[in-house]
Amino acid sequence: LYRVDTENRSRFKVPIATVNNNQLYYEIHGEGEPAVCMGGWGTYCHKNGRGLARGLTDKYQVLVFDYRGIGQSKDDLNIPASMKLYSADLIALLDHLGWNKVHLIGLVGMGCGVAQEVALSRPELVRSMVNMGCWSSVDDYLRDQLELFRTVHREVGFYAFQQFVCIYSFLPEFYNQNKHRLLGPDGEWGELRDNYVTHERLVDACLAHDTSDRLKDITTPTLVIHAAKDMVTSPRTTLPIEHGIPGAEGVMMEDTAHVVVGKAQKIEFCNILFSFLDKH
């Protein structure tokens, strides 16, 4: 099924595919070379392309999908959650679509881990890889943060978790000005509201993710974007990825926290992203 969104000038396909013995919801926006955009504990779907880097769908055909248990994607709770499981979902989806040589864009969390696993297990599928807000393995600081986010959600409730994670993810100035739209039923990480089981499984996958000894085997051209003011996945966790992948490029965004926000930051991010993608 195709329809045209004249406002966003995007053409997108909105089916559910049975891949990797599971049903995954996905959308395809734009035209051009194939790219996949993945975030953290949420989805870029169901937003008519909003949230994607401005101009991305003008130059690329962009695949976004709901991780299993998110949105309209199903999940099998009998299968242990792992980054390899979520990457196997994406690999099966790419095979289903007949896509290869795609640009993998992982932003703010587990999308980067999924991209790393795909680049390692099926390098022929990947033209380039972007990682931001990422890690190759968790240290005690990141492990305890992720566990604490999950504990707050379980013990105090979604809205306490939402406020907690927003405080860590946005700069104080932005939070103060935008608290009214960051928090509440329509606020950030809304995909996890009334969905603690999925949150628990996503955290399990994040905690167990470890490519630190395998980064040297990634042959994909890679860009790692470092956010200097990130309180979750700081350069402490992102620099080892740049240093571990042969030939990887790195760029520091000096005034950016965990999430890219505001006009100036978004322009800077797009300039960095498109400069890299255009070379590959």
Side-chain angles (χ1 to χ4, degrees):
L1 173 65
Y2 287 90
R3 66 184 176 91
V4 175
D5 180 343
T6 55
E7 180 182 353
N8 292 286
R9 294 176 297 163
S10 64
R11 176 172 159 282
F12 54 92
K13 187 177 180 183
V14 288
I16 293 178
T18 300
V19 294
N20 197 25
N21 299 314
N22 194 56
Q23 290 186 337
L24 286 186
Y25 175 91
Y26 69 97
E27 299 171 0
I28 298 173
H29 298 257
E31 299 289 346
E33 293 182 359
V36 181
C37 193
M38 299 171 287
W41 300 334
T43 182
Y44 287 108
C45 294
H46 320 289
K47 301 169 185 175
N48 290 336
R50 294 190 305 275
L52 297 174
R54 184 179 296 274
L56 188 64
T57 57
D58 293 335
K59 302 181 66 174
Y60 298 94
Q61 186 175 201
V62 183
L63 169 67
V64 293
F65 64 100
D66 290 340
Y67 295 127
R68 53 174 63 217
I70 290 285
Q72 296 185 44
S73 289
K74 304 298 183 182
D75 196 5
D76 183 347
L77 302 183
N78 294 313
I79 301 175
S82 68
M83 207 66 75
K84 289 185 177 181
L85 175 64
Y86 295 100
S87 69
D89 288 343
L90 175 56
I91 288 170
L93 183 55
L94 292 174
D95 286 342
H96 171 80
L97 295 171
W99 283 22
N100 55 43
K101 296 298 180 183
V102 304
H103 301 282
L104 291 185
I105 304 170
L107 303 174
V108 191
M110 65 176 288
C112 303
V114 171
Q116 291 168 22
E117 290 290 357
V118 175
L120 283 162
S121 61
R122 291 286 301 276
E124 78 280 4
L125 292 178
V126 188
R127 182 182 298 272
S128 72
M129 180 172 69
V130 177
N131 272 199
M132 181 178 186
C134 49
W135 62 93
S136 57
S137 64
V138 296
D139 58 12
D140 286 342
Y141 189 83
L142 180 57
R143 179 184 298 106
D144 289 351
Q145 275 185 313
L146 299 180
E147 288 277 19
L148 190 55
F149 291 151
R150 181 167 61 177
T151 299
V152 170
H153 188 177
R154 182 181 66 244
E155 301 297 332
V156 188
F158 170 76
Y159 292 112
F161 154 75
Q162 184 186 56
Q163 185 174 33
F164 192 37
V165 74
C166 280
I167 287 171
Y168 269 93
S169 298
F170 298 96
L171 294 176
E173 298 81 7
F174 185 86
Y175 182 89
N176 287 337
Q177 295 173 5
N178 297 276
K179 178 179 176 180
H180 62 285
R181 66 185 183 88
L182 294 176
L183 306 181
D186 299 321
E188 299 298 306
W189 290 278
E191 297 89 348
L192 299 179
R193 182 163 57 95
D194 301 320
N195 196 10
Y196 172 75
V197 171
T198 293
H199 187 194
E200 183 174 45
R201 287 171 59 76
L202 294 172
V203 174
D204 283 343
C206 290
L207 292 175
H209 175 61
D210 190 346
T211 55
S212 54
D213 292 336
R214 294 179 287 146
L215 293 176
K216 65 182 185 302
D217 300 322
I218 293 178
T219 58
T220 300
T222 299
L223 169 68
V224 183
I225 303 175
H226 312 287
K229 295 184 178 180
D230 190 338
M231 293 178 63
V232 183
T233 49
S234 72
R236 183 192 82 258
T237 68
T238 56
L239 282 170
I241 298 173
E242 178 192 342
H243 298 158
I245 297 176
E249 301 176 37
V251 177
M252 184 74 68
M253 294 185 67
E254 295 290 349
D255 298 317
T256 301
H258 192 57
V259 181
V260 175
V261 293
K263 183 177 180 180
Q265 285 187 22
K266 289 181 178 180
I267 291 173
E268 180 185 9
F269 170 78
C270 286
N271 288 339
I272 293 168
L273 175 66
F274 289 125
S275 175
F276 174 76
L277 294 179
D278 288 347
K279 291 190 298 186
H280 299 286

